[in-house]
Structures are given as structure tokens and as C-alpha cells.
Amino acid sequence: MAKNLVIVESPAKAKTIEKFLGADFTVKSCFGHIRDLVKGDKAIDIESGYTPIYEVPADKQNVVNDLKRLAKKSEMVWLASDEDREGEAISWHLSEVLGLTKENTKRIVFHEITKPAILKAIESPRQIDEHLVDAQQARRVLDRLVGFKLSPVLWKKVKPSLSAGRVQSVAVRLVVEREEQILNFASESTYKVVGHFKQGGKSFKAEAGTKFKSEQEALAFLESCKGALYTIQSVDVKPGSKKPSPPFTTSTLQQEASRKLGFSVSRTMLVAQKLYENGHITYMRTDSVNLSELAVNSAKSEIENLYGSEYSSPKRYSTKSAGAQEAHEAIRPTYFNKLKAGNDDSEERLYQLIWRRAIASQMSDARLEKTTVKIANDKNNTLFTANGEVLKFEGFLKVYLEGTDEDEQEAAGLLPPLRVGDHPESTSITATQRFSRPPARYTEASLVRKLEELGIGRPSTYAPTISTIQKRGYVEKGKNEGKERVYNVLTLSRGEVTSVKKKETTGSNKNKLIPSDIGKVVTDFLIKHFDQIMDYNFTARVEKEFDEIANGLKEWSTMIDDFYNPFHKTVDTALETAERASGERPLGIDPESGKQVIVRLGKFGPMVQIGKADEEEKPRFASLQTGQTLGTITLDEALELFKFPKTIGTYEGHELVVAQGRFGPYVKFDKMFVSIPKNEDIGSVNQERAIELIQEKQRADAPIDEYEGHPVQKGVGRFGPFIKWNGMFINVSKKYDFDNLSHDNIVELIETKKQKEIEKYIHRWDDEGISVQKARWGRFNIIKGKTKIELPKTFDVESLTLDAVKKMIEEKAPKKKGRAKKK
């Protein structure tokens, strides 16, 4: 047995590190956190100074037992979790759960998984930093308190099953406010004038210094330019330069990977994690742009080797973020002379991005020559301006140019030789109608940038926050490709002015973040009743307080106490006095019934209601379709929803009915319910389209095989591809070719599932319709019909008898009836 046990967070990291250490070291993974706050509202003992109550989840029990066994046999345990607060907390939890002592425990950290870095860490161990642990614990406790106190308020005042969070709710607010700005934006059109010229046989263009507000003004200007003589009034040549961007931090990597690779924030972090664990890049959660002396020298050597010494210009970048504490170095390759790395296309592409950015940061500035030319004419006072750039030395541009979130970039081009007094020929002048644009919707990456600008969150929280607000249904990614808009182009050419209409696509929200109706309603409610929680400055101030705790400047329980006491009172007040929020908006009067039409948030989502509950006739309801929102739906659109269910024809002797259901629009045919695709307008579905959808479903549902007298069907559901047999749904893993399943494959899948079904039963009394089944987290359930009794974890299920089980079921039944009666 090895004398030393090294514990890291992931198996991939363990495998990489084990190669660097000798036979005296065993490297094992704890698979992330081994302990977490207990479930429910008992996780924080508020009366005892906000003491957190932790537990080891059932799925980590075997890992803990294995590590305990190894730790007892080892002379020294080395805790090598990540170097940020989360990693420090993991080491502390390991120390507590494994019963480690200071004498036999050493804490090591490293910024990269390379042999020199690991050996250096072993040579300079330290103790667990209690201040970092306190900071992580403070964040965890505060976020749990906010979530568990706010969520019940939302359940009661808005809608069941909702949740709120200190950072997530503020992130949703940003998206909601941006959407409001877009909806309230009034677009205005102007005419941009561009002149097309020739000099010495070479063409170039110049923009007029004036934009015109109307077609009449633009037309009058073009008319005034007929027969004009153009003269070069000035030529201004200035040397310029472009500087490289600093190496990546977590947020800038997320932004650039989104722009250049199309990666989501969570995908970027997942791929970066793999690159880090395999020793290819430094730690990927950092807000520092600093590079170590070793990295700067290594980059210098590689630049000189690849491009020459004139391309090398070592630089030091300082981190602007006041709270930068998560790590000590930017994201960079561990070895600059490794030009490619990664096990798949995603890893290779992200590595290339990181390598190019880091290398470029240490390269020379690009040197430019910028030329600005002013052109006058003898018919009016408007000057045209032409801009040109000549790249004198490419410097870092040989390797990398940072992307931009702007939709349009107009690069300055090369200009022909021009001198003051020259008379360039005007080939044409165009006045193009352009519309002012509202603020851009956030992408995942630009939302991260905004959170960072406001000081909200830290490198480790950006990706989880962006994922959470989408999973909770508060924010979704747009799918609208936009709509066509007509614009006008006026052209003066050969003494004649012509006008043509052109089309452009505008308003696309594809892959942009859009607030859902529930996101808007919850945000409005929280701003009204919990303005402190939703305040950007407050959320940023909390982050600074976490930093102070991490630096030993503040006691964590005091910080929690200062927040919790007023917050708790606000929660009580909201529960007592806040009115129910539904985002209700009156649309007008239904012409048929004369009753009021409103839109609001209902139990199953946004809906239209005709009539009121206190009227003799019950209100009528209809769910909103995809793309319709509480804030934008019109009266006509709302009334259109009440035309369903609607019979649109017959097929094979059965009526075809189009209807709107809880899970979206569908076609009903005999006993079959066929979903209408989400992006399809329910009103456009006619008999022909309905039959097409039915036949598609019939083909999809057709048996692909038969086993033991039962047909086998296949499909794709929420959790991926599956086959259905004898009422049983069986997931099909990637091990199988789903498109070409053989009979042997199907038999194997069914028999494996049958065996699992058998194994999950501890007892079965088929005559009574009763069974005892395995459940999650090492628990067991007694099942009879719809009755389910969860047994305590410590219950001896092997000793259960049928009589005992029957008695428990009988005792359970009256309680259910009692609750139902009381309700």
C-alpha cells in the first residue's frame, strides 16, 4: 500500500496526476463534493448562529467509505482539490468526513496539471484555508436562506413550484428589463448617403457627413449633386496601432467561444474542464489576466521560433476586477510549444482559441497607416469622408483578432493614391434608408459580461446561473428568424435619380435570451416586494463581503445575520400583505358574449380568459401558443384561440379535430392525439396537413419487431431514444445503433430491463397487488395501486410480512381521506 494518498476532484485529473508521482503515491477522486446541505428547510440552524447541517448523499457513501479505508492505511493524505473557494470547501469537507488530523493532512494547490507544477505543490504544502471555506459556506448558506424563504412566497402569491435565487433572479431581471427596452423602442428611419468614386482607374467610396431624416430631404440632396465637380480638400495620413487583448479570463473565454465557436456558456466550461484535467490548459475559473514569469518566457520563445523576434513583445497585464481572487493566472496553454491538443473537435477548437489568444497577448502591436480624405463639391456644402487603412506590420494580427458582439463591422479599405486638388470621378451616389435599432437582446455570453461589469457573481457562478434561469423556465432562447422589412434605396447615376425597394430581415431573436411570461411576472413581483434582493448594487456588495470573509476581514455569521433579520421581516410582510400576482392585462370585450377578455398567468401557464369567476356562466379559458406573450398578444389573436377545438374534416371515417391542450396544440383522430409542431400556427392546420401529421406518427409508431407476442416500437423522448414493449419504456444507450437495431439488440435490451424490474422488487404479493420496491438514495417504497408509502432509511425491509404491509396501507388510507376532506 502506498504511503501517500492524494485526493482530487475528478477521475480524469487523478489519472493525469498519477503519471507524475512515484509508487509511494496513490491518487483517488472524490467525484466533486462528498457532502452537501441536507434537503428541505432544516439545512440551516438559524438559532445556533446559522450553523449549516450537512449530510453525505447516498450516491457518495461508497466513495466516502473507500476514501476512509485508504486514508486509514496511508501515512499522509494530500488534499488536492481546485484552488478556488469551492475547491477549498471540498478539502475541508473531506477532512471533516474522513476524520483527518492536521498531523497527517496536507493541502496542495496548483494552477496547471503538469509535472513541474505538481512536484512544486508537493514541495510547498499548506493547511486548509479556513477563511476561504468560510466564504464558500457564507455563499451557500445565504443562497439557501434566500431560496427557501423566497420560494414559498412565490408559491403562494404567484404560482406553485416556482423558485427564486439571490443571483439568478437578478440575472432574469436584466433580461426582462432589456426586453422592455426593446418593446418600448420606437424605430426611426434616416437616409445614409455614400458616394462611389474613381481615381486613376481604382474605385473607392466615401460617406456623406450628413444623414437625412426623410426621403424628400435625401432626394433633394441627390438632385443638388447632379453635374457636381468633386475635389479632394484634404488628405490626412497618421500612423496608428492595434494592441492585442489580454489572455482569457473565465468570462472573456465564454464570450469569445460564443462568438467564434458558437458554444454555450456551459459547453465552454465543460470542454475547458476536460482540457484542464488532461493537463492541456491552466485552471479555467479565474478573473485574473496575469501570466507567470515562466509563461511569459515560454511564450516569447515560441513566438520567436514560429514568427521571428520582431513579433515578440512580452507584456504584463493587470487585473481590473477589484475582487479578483479566484486564481492567480489567466487561462493559457500549459505548454506553448503544443500547438494542438484535445480528444475531440470541441476540445481541439477551444484549445486553439486559448492558445492563439495567449500567444497573441505576448506579441508586438500591429502597425497601421490610417488615411482620412475629405471630398468637397461645387454644388453644396456637404463633405464626403473616405477612410483607409494600410497594414504596415501585422504583429499579433498574424495570429488572432478579437471578435465583437456588434452585428455590423465596416472595415476601412485601401484607398488609391489621392492628393489635395485631385478631381475624383463620381460614378454614383446612393441614399439608403436605415432604421435605428433597439438595444440588442442578451446572448449567454453578453449576459455574463454584464453580470461581470456589475460585480455580480464570480467565475465559478456564471455558467450555473445562466443554465439555472433557462432550466427554471424564466428565460428561453429565441427561435424566431425575424421578419421581412422593406427599405428604400435612392441612387444618382449618370445624371438620373432612381428609386428601388429592397427587403431585409429584421428582428431575429434566434439564440438570444428572451424572458418568459412567468419570468416577467416573478421579476415584477420580486422588484415590488423584495427590492433589496433585486438591487444590482446590493447583489454586488454581497460579493464584496464574501471577498472580505475570504481575506479574513469579516466574520461570516455576522454578515449573514446583518442580512437575514431584515430579510426575514420582509418575507413575513409579503406573505401577509402582498396581492396575488398573475400579470393580468385586460384586452377588451368579446363581441359575441359581451364579456371582458383578459390575459393572465394560470396554473398551467399563460392563458386568455373570457368572463369572470363571479358571473353565472363559468369563464372560458385558452392557453397561449408558442410565440405569444402576456404583454404582446392582441384581442383579435386572443379571440382566435377560442375557435378551438375545431373540426376540420374527416379521415378514414373519423373526425379530425384541432385543439389546444395543456402541452400545446394537437390533432385528435379516433383515439390518437398527434402534436402539432411548436413553431407551427394552429390556425394554419387544415385537413391535408392534419392527415400528413397523422401518417407521420403512424409511421413512427409502427412496430419495428415483435418479442414474446408483443410488438416493439421505437421513439425519441425527453431522455433520448427508447423502445416500447409490453407497456415498458426502455432507454437505448449510445452503445447501440438506434437507426438499425437488430432483433438480437432488441432482445438484449428487453431482457436487461426485465431483469432490472425483477431486481427492484424486494417482496411481491401479486394476488394482493402489493409490492415493496427499491427507491432512490437507499430507501424502499410500499406500492399498492396509487398508494405509495416511503419507508425510513433504517427500516429492515427483509423482515416485512404481508400482514404488516397491509396494516401500514390501512393506516395510510384514512390519513389521505382526512386530508382530502379537510381540503
Side-chain angles (χ1 to χ4, degrees):
M1 182 66 200
K3 296 178 183 178
N4 298 277
L5 172 63
V6 180
I7 304 177
V8 296
E9 290 180 42
S10 74
K13 193 189 292 187
K15 191 176 178 183
T16 308
I17 291 174
E18 204 159 36
K19 294 186 292 187
F20 304 140
L21 300 172
D24 285 343
F25 288 84
T26 296
V27 186
K28 288 289 180 182
S29 167
C30 66
F31 298 88
H33 277 281
I34 59 157
R35 195 164 71 155
D36 199 3
L37 293 170
V38 299
K39 303 293 181 187
D41 57 359
K42 304 296 183 187
I44 316 294
D45 187 348
I46 295 170
E47 304 302 322
S48 301
Y50 307 98
T51 304
I53 313 299
Y54 295 108
E55 68 176 354
V56 177
D59 62 338
K60 285 296 178 75
Q61 199 62 60
N62 289 338
V63 174
V64 169
N65 292 340
D66 190 37
L67 292 175
K68 276 184 178 177
R69 179 178 56 79
L70 293 170
K72 281 181 182 178
K73 294 180 180 179
S74 303
E75 293 177 12
M76 185 63 66
V77 178
W78 304 76
L79 301 175
S81 50
D82 291 338
E83 62 173 326
D84 56 13
R85 294 173 192 166
E86 209 70 28
E88 205 69 22
I90 288 173
S91 283
W92 177 76
H93 283 293
L94 282 166
S95 177
E96 294 282 307
V97 173
L98 303 183
L100 305 179
T101 63
K102 285 188 177 181
E103 291 72 33
N104 75 336
T105 309
K106 290 182 179 178
R107 171 79 169 113
I108 56 171
V109 294
F110 36 83
H111 186 64
E112 61 189 42
I113 304 176
T114 60
K115 189 170 184 177
I118 302 303
L119 296 180
K120 186 178 178 183
I122 294 286
E123 290 169 7
S124 53
R126 60 171 173 80
Q127 294 298 313
I128 291 171
D129 187 329
E130 300 286 347
H131 295 314
L132 285 181
V133 175
D134 286 347
Q136 189 274 346
Q137 193 159 254
R139 178 189 290 279
R140 196 79 184 84
V141 167
L142 183 63
D143 288 348
R144 175 62 72 93
L145 286 172
V146 170
F148 268 79
K149 292 295 179 182
L150 271 187
S151 297
V153 179
L154 295 179
W155 302 341
K156 187 175 179 181
K157 302 296 182 179
V158 184
K159 185 174 175 280
S161 303
L162 295 177
S163 69
R166 182 182 58 86
V167 176
Q168 76 170 55
S169 296
V170 173
V172 175
R173 178 181 181 177
L174 283 168
V175 179
V176 168
E177 289 182 343
R178 178 58 57 87
E179 194 68 18
E180 287 172 354
Q181 290 171 5
I182 292 167
L183 290 174
N184 294 330
F185 183 82
S187 183
E188 295 178 353
S189 75
T190 55
Y191 281 77
K192 176 183 174 181
V193 178
V194 175
H196 300 266
F197 299 92
K198 265 189 180 181
Q199 178 75 17
K202 292 185 178 180
S203 299
F204 68 98
K205 60 184 180 180
E207 186 176 334
T210 303
K211 288 183 179 179
F212 300 99
K213 292 182 179 180
S214 66
E215 181 180 357
Q216 290 74 19
E217 289 180 12
L219 191 59
F221 173 73
L222 293 183
E223 290 288 347
S224 74
C225 291
K226 286 181 177 179
L229 175 68
Y230 293 89
T231 305
I232 303 294
Q233 189 182 74
S234 65
V235 178
D236 188 17
V237 181
K238 288 183 180 178
S241 65
K242 285 185 189 289
K243 294 183 180 296
S245 302
F248 284 129
T249 61
T250 301
S251 70
T252 55
L253 175 64
Q254 290 168 347
Q255 292 164 49
E256 196 74 336
S258 172
R259 287 188 289 250
K260 290 195 169 177
L261 307 180
F263 285 8
S264 67
V265 167
S266 57
R267 184 183 177 190
T268 297
M269 296 311 291
L270 188 66
V271 176
Q273 179 93 29
K274 291 177 183 175
L275 289 172
Y276 167 66
E277 289 175 351
N278 287 307
H280 299 313
I281 64 170
T282 53
Y283 192 52
M284 65 285 156
R285 292 190 183 93
T286 174
D287 47 15
S288 170
V289 291
N290 181 45
L291 292 179
S292 66
E293 191 70 37
L294 180 66
V296 170
N297 292 334
S298 176
K300 180 176 185 292
S301 174
E302 191 60 25
I303 291 164
E304 290 177 351
N305 178 50
L306 290 174
Y307 310 114
S309 58
E310 70 273 22
Y311 283 89
S312 174
S313 176
K315 295 177 178 65
R316 290 290 187 184
Y317 296 93
S318 59
T319 303
K320 294 178 182 178
S321 171
Q325 85 299 314
E326 297 287 0
H328 306 295
E329 206 172 349
I331 303 169
R332 62 165 175 83
T334 48
Y335 300 104
F336 279 96
N337 59 1
K338 185 182 281 188
L339 306 187
K340 291 184 178 180
N343 295 322
D344 58 34
D345 181 62
S346 293
E347 289 180 33
E348 288 175 8
R349 291 166 68 203
L350 191 66
Y351 179 82
Q352 269 289 298
L353 193 68
I354 292 167
W355 185 89
R356 288 178 181 278
R357 174 79 164 226
I359 277 282
S361 76
Q362 299 301 304
M363 292 177 72
S364 305
D365 295 353
R367 294 195 297 275
L368 312 164
E369 190 174 81
K370 294 184 177 182
T371 303
T372 303
V373 177
K374 299 287 186 183
I375 305 169
N377 71 82
D378 62 349
K379 297 291 185 180
N380 54 60
N381 296 324
T382 299
L383 291 176
F384 285 82
T385 303
N387 292 302
E389 276 185 3
V390 177
L391 189 62
K392 293 294 187 181
F393 174 66
E394 57 191 340
F396 77 93
L397 291 176
K398 193 174 187 72
V399 175
Y400 185 85
L401 176 63
E402 186 178 17
T404 174
D405 285 331
E406 297 304 315
D407 292 336
E408 293 180 8
Q409 288 188 82
E410 289 196 5
L414 289 172
L415 295 174
L418 296 168
R419 293 172 299 183
V420 174
D422 282 350
H423 299 292
E425 175 194 354
S426 170
T427 55
S428 67
I429 301 174
T430 58
T432 305
Q433 187 180 22
R434 285 287 173 248
F435 296 87
S436 57
R437 294 186 297 177
R441 287 184 175 92
Y442 288 110
T443 60
E444 285 191 357
S446 63
L447 183 57
V448 165
R449 185 177 65 197
K450 188 64 179 179
L451 290 170
E452 187 183 39
E453 283 175 11
L454 294 170
I456 296 168
R458 288 293 181 262
S460 60
T461 65
Y462 299 139
T465 298
I466 301 297
S467 296
T468 298
I469 63 176
Q470 292 179 73
K471 285 177 185 173
R472 298 268 164 86
Y474 293 145
V475 168
E476 52 199 29
K477 283 188 179 175
K479 297 174 183 175
N480 183 4
E481 298 279 3
K483 57 185 179 182
E484 279 191 345
R485 177 171 63 192
V486 175
Y487 67 97
N488 196 18
V489 180
L490 305 173
T491 305
L492 169 63
S493 179
R494 297 180 181 178
E496 293 294 327
V497 177
T498 58
S499 174
V500 295
K501 301 289 184 186
K502 293 188 176 182
K503 292 180 180 179
E504 63 183 354
T505 300
T506 183
S508 170
N509 61 23
K510 194 168 185 182
N511 292 325
K512 303 289 177 64
L513 298 180
I514 303 169
S516 65
D517 282 325
I518 189 69
K520 293 176 186 174
V521 173
V522 168
T523 298
D524 290 344
F525 178 83
L526 291 176
I527 289 172
K528 185 175 180 180
H529 299 285
F530 297 92
D531 57 333
Q532 183 190 28
I533 293 291
M534 298 297 283
D535 180 68
Y536 300 130
N537 292 327
F538 165 76
T539 312
R541 191 169 69 249
V542 168
E543 297 291 351
K544 289 180 181 175
E545 291 187 81
F546 290 148
D547 295 342
E548 289 171 4
I549 294 167
N551 293 320
L553 303 174
K554 196 162 197 168
E555 208 279 316
W556 77 271
S557 59
T558 303
M559 178 252 181
I560 300 292
D561 196 55
D562 290 343
F563 163 80
Y564 181 74
N565 287 325
F567 171 67
H568 182 60
K569 290 176 184 174
T570 307
V571 169
D572 289 344
T573 302
L575 282 169
E576 289 175 18
T577 64
E579 292 182 1
R580 190 169 183 81
S582 66
E584 183 176 310
R585 184 170 74 93
L587 296 181
I589 301 299
D590 173 28
E592 286 187 14
S593 65
K595 294 182 177 180
Q596 188 178 41
V597 182
I598 61 167
V599 282
R600 66 178 179 85
L601 197 63
K603 186 178 179 182
F604 301 116
M607 64 178 192
V608 182
Q609 176 179 326
I610 297 179
K612 296 180 180 178
D614 56 3
E615 295 173 345
E616 282 186 26
E617 192 178 345
K618 285 185 179 180
R620 294 162 60 204
F621 304 98
S623 297
L624 267 62
Q625 293 185 57
T626 303
Q628 293 179 330
T629 68
L630 295 177
T632 60
I633 190 169
T634 64
L635 177 63
D636 288 341
E637 290 168 341
L639 293 174
E640 189 72 23
L641 297 173
F642 288 90
K643 293 180 180 177
F644 303 97
K646 181 169 74 173
T647 301
I648 57 171
T650 59
Y651 177 55
E652 294 182 350
H654 298 283
E655 280 190 341
L656 296 175
V657 179
V658 177
Q660 180 77 31
R662 179 179 166 188
F663 301 107
Y666 63 88
V667 175
K668 184 176 183 296
F669 162 69
D670 193 14
K671 295 179 182 178
M672 184 187 289
F673 295 86
V674 185
S675 293
I676 296 170
K678 283 185 177 180
N679 58 352
E680 199 164 327
D681 177 19
I682 185 174
S684 68
V685 177
N686 55 21
Q687 178 175 319
E688 184 183 353
R689 176 58 178 150
I691 293 170
E692 191 179 302
L693 290 168
I694 290 164
Q695 290 174 343
E696 282 177 12
K697 183 166 175 61
Q698 287 173 332
R699 284 193 293 272
D701 291 349
I704 59 167
D705 205 339
E706 186 179 290
Y707 184 59
E708 294 183 351
H710 298 287
V712 179
Q713 299 165 294
K714 72 176 184 179
V716 178
R718 279 178 66 197
F719 305 109
F722 66 86
I723 59 171
K724 183 183 177 186
W725 174 81
N726 195 21
M728 192 183 289
F729 289 88
I730 305 164
N731 290 330
V732 180
S733 68
K734 290 181 180 178
K735 164 185 168 184
Y736 300 93
D737 181 357
F738 183 65
D739 293 327
N740 301 289
L741 288 173
S742 67
H743 180 72
D744 289 343
N745 292 155
I746 288 166
V747 172
E748 183 181 350
L749 284 161
I750 292 171
E751 288 300 327
T752 303
K753 179 72 172 180
K754 282 166 68 178
Q755 187 60 36
K756 284 182 181 176
E757 288 294 307
I758 291 167
E759 289 172 358
K760 82 177 182 182
Y761 292 103
I762 302 302
H763 298 287
R764 288 182 74 166
W765 295 278
D766 291 337
D767 293 343
E768 303 284 346
I770 300 172
S771 64
V772 180
Q773 301 178 12
K774 284 183 182 177
R776 296 178 71 187
W777 317 125
R779 296 180 185 275
F780 296 88
N781 292 331
I782 295 173
I783 307 288
K784 182 179 182 182
K786 292 184 179 179
T787 300
K788 182 171 80 172
I789 303 171
E790 188 177 293
L791 298 172
K793 214 171 186 179
T794 54
F795 197 93
D796 181 11
V797 291
E798 297 294 342
S799 64
L800 273 174
T801 63
L802 178 58
D803 288 341
V805 170
K806 280 183 173 179
K807 187 177 180 182
M808 292 170 78
I809 291 171
E810 285 169 8
E811 288 173 354
K812 172 89 172 176
K815 289 180 183 177
K816 280 190 76 178
K817 286 177 184 174
R819 280 200 299 270
K821 192 174 181 183
K822 190 177 178 182
K823 220 170 185 177

